[in-house]
Amino acid sequence: TPTRTCVVCGEKGNKRALTRLVRTESGVLVDPGGKIDGRGAYLCDKRSCWERAVNTNLLNKPLRTIITAEDRERLQQAMP
């Protein structure tokens, strides 16, 4: 099974155990199925990782974009 790495804490895990975030034309979205086209990054299910990703600019580099306030709100609603 493919492994992926959380962009915040660096924890490696099964692709299905981590949550994929994807940059699309309509903004940054949570991709639970892992099938949406676009630049992706993975987060583990630790709340601290999600909070750090949402409240800082940490996702800008791996997603090659600037995270907007709308993106932050959307990700905050998806937080575990």
Side-chain angles (χ1 to χ4, degrees):
T1 58
T3 59
R4 299 293 184 260
T5 304
C6 175
V7 295
V8 176
C9 68
E11 181 179 310
K12 293 183 187 285
N14 183 323
K15 181 180 176 180
R16 298 290 175 211
L18 289 126
T19 303
R20 182 173 186 250
L21 306 178
V22 63
R23 181 195 73 206
T24 66
E25 291 181 13
S26 58
V28 176
L29 307 172
V30 175
D31 181 14
K35 303 286 184 189
I36 298 175
D37 287 340
R39 179 86 181 159
Y42 288 84
L43 286 177
C44 65
D45 290 333
K46 294 179 191 167
R47 185 157 181 95
S48 60
C49 287
W50 278 79
E51 287 175 352
R52 187 166 173 215
V54 170
N55 296 321
T56 67
N57 293 325
L58 194 92
L59 293 173
N60 289 352
K61 187 174 180 180
L63 292 176
R64 297 183 186 163
T65 190
I66 303 292
I67 304 298
T68 65
E70 293 170 348
D71 294 332
R72 291 182 199 283
E73 180 65 30
R74 204 174 305 119
L75 295 176
Q76 194 143 24
Q77 291 175 359
M79 244 187 243

